[in-house]
Amino acid sequence: MLTNFTSHPLLKLFIKLSLLLFCLVFIKTKLSYEFSHFLETIYRLNIGFLFLSLISLLLSFLLGAYKWKMLFNTFHAKSQFSDFLSACFKGAFIANFMFGSIVGDGARIYDISKKYKVPYKRCLVIGILDRLLTLFFYAISIVFVFCVTYYLSAYSTNIQYIVFLSILITLSLYIYKKSHSILKLRVKKYKELMNINFMTLYFSTALLSTLLIGLSFIFLSNAAFVAIELNSFTYVLTGLLSNFFPLSFSGWGVRELTLSVILKDYASSDAIITISILFGILNAFIALPGILIYFKSRKV
């Protein structure tokens, strides 16, 4: 009886709305944010930069699915990228619109376990390993970005963008050329993953994904006519690190608080919070295709 009560659709809707309300109240009270600033920013958004931000975030999402597929493929051959992408969309939908990132991760791992008839515990270990490696390489990417921005600080903004664009193109070409040969790698033990070619490709994919996340936020700031330049790239990535930890419902509240503190020297608190809210909305927008996959799997 208790199980039936807790699984009632109206109760689920009430829980979701309560969590969202809590996040909004937290942002309003603890961060002293005026939501009128958000509406004003929406009205005058630069559509070009908004589109660039969306594309960057989407590409980062696709690379995240590809990294997971790459790791899974070393243990179980003949895995299809489309299956992992579908699972990621479903997991992202659950994370953004239902019960948070932990449940979303569990759902996407379960889908792959069921699809390839691999024990759930095995898939869970691979999924956790993917998360840990992503977090590890994200930290290394922050160090990499710090070194690049420190060296480029003496140059103009145009030069900085050209250098970062060159890095993005180089990483993309490397991933494209090396993926076919690396995906042939097969291992039986986790320690065999320390193959230098595999780790180089995995790191390159993680670095490219991280750079795209940071650029998405910077493009979004330009869409809102807030002057956050590339020299703040390291701070942006550090602030977005809060997305990796299940500290709140899909990062809401914690992300805004972290970014408003870290980027206080680059823009006003209201401006940073507005950009962070827009960033969260873009994340939710990208997860929307997961609704079709979610309800399709419910019917099966």
Side-chain angles (χ1 to χ4, degrees), residues 146 175 228 262 280:
F146 173 79
I175 293 168
I228 296 181
I262 290 178

Side-chain angles (χ1 to χ4, degrees), residues 8-294:
H8 196 279
L10 289 178
L11 179 62
K12 288 182 177 180
L13 179 62
F14 175 76
I15 293 172
K16 298 167 199 171
L17 292 176
S18 299
L19 288 169
L20 180 59
L21 180 62
F22 171 78
C23 293
L24 292 175
V25 171
F26 178 86
I27 293 170
K28 172 67 177 176
T29 57
K30 296 298 183 182
L31 303 180
S32 301
Y33 180 69
E34 294 294 335
F35 282 99
S36 59
H37 188 279
F38 175 77
L39 297 176
E40 292 171 4
T41 303
I42 288 290
Y43 179 74
R44 60 189 181 89
L45 276 176
N46 183 301
I47 302 301
F49 276 113
L50 180 64
F51 180 74
L52 283 175
S53 178
L54 178 62
I55 293 298
S56 298
L57 204 55
L58 179 60
L59 289 174
S60 178
F61 181 85
L62 296 177
L63 286 169
Y66 183 73
K67 278 197 299 93
W68 183 30
K69 187 262 183 190
M70 189 193 311
L71 187 61
F72 185 89
N73 197 77
T74 59
F75 295 95
H76 305 281
K78 299 181 180 180
S79 57
Q80 298 296 318
F81 174 67
S82 58
D83 296 328
F84 286 82
L85 185 58
S86 297
C88 283
F89 271 124
K90 179 181 176 181
F93 169 72
I94 293 173
N96 281 278
F97 296 98
M98 301 182 75
F99 297 114
S101 57
I102 294 180
V103 180
D105 278 353
R108 69 184 180 92
I109 291 170
Y110 175 78
D111 275 9
I112 293 299
S113 171
K114 185 178 179 181
K115 175 71 178 181
Y116 291 99
K117 297 180 175 58
V118 178
Y120 182 76
K121 288 185 177 180
R122 176 79 163 178
C123 283
L124 181 62
V125 171
I126 296 174
I128 293 174
L129 181 60
D130 176 59
R131 281 295 188 189
L132 292 175
L133 285 173
T134 299
L135 183 59
F136 174 71
F137 286 129
Y138 188 95
I140 294 179
S141 299
I142 291 177
V143 176
F144 173 82
V145 169
F146 173 79
C147 294
V148 174
T149 52
Y150 179 80
Y151 175 75
L152 293 176
S153 59
Y155 296 90
S156 66
T157 302
N158 290 336
I159 297 296
Q160 293 178 26
Y161 273 108
I162 290 173
V163 171
F164 272 101
L165 180 61
S166 301
I167 293 173
L168 293 177
I169 293 174
T170 302
L171 287 172
S172 301
L173 291 174
Y174 178 80
I175 293 168
Y176 176 76
K177 289 183 177 181
K178 294 294 182 180
S179 289
H180 182 70
S181 59
I182 297 300
L183 287 177
K184 295 179 181 179
L185 176 67
R186 299 290 175 267
V187 300
K188 294 182 178 180
K189 298 179 180 180
Y190 294 108
K191 64 180 181 181
E192 294 175 5
L193 285 173
M194 298 308 293
N195 179 287
I196 185 64
N197 292 324
F198 174 81
M199 279 299 170
T200 302
L201 178 62
Y202 193 95
F203 170 66
S204 299
T205 309
L207 176 59
L208 181 57
S209 177
T210 302
L211 292 175
L212 287 170
I213 290 174
L215 283 173
S216 174
F217 190 90
I218 291 176
F219 286 146
L220 200 54
S221 73
N222 282 272
F225 298 97
V226 179
I228 296 181
E229 302 295 343
L230 281 175
N231 56 4
S232 66
F233 209 147
T234 307
Y235 298 100
V236 169
L237 292 178
T238 304
L240 293 176
L241 189 61
S242 59
N243 282 342
F244 282 91
F245 304 100
L247 301 174
S248 68
F249 179 67
S250 297
W252 289 101
V254 176
R255 180 179 59 244
E256 285 69 37
L257 176 62
T258 306
L259 287 168
S260 64
V261 172
I262 290 178
L263 295 173
K264 62 182 180 181
D265 293 333
Y266 294 92
S268 67
S269 177
D270 278 359
I272 296 300
I273 293 172
T274 298
I275 298 168
S276 182
I277 292 174
L278 287 171
F279 187 81
I281 292 174
L282 285 186
N283 270 297
F285 180 78
I286 288 173
L288 282 178
I291 191 172
L292 301 176
I293 301 166
Y294 174 77

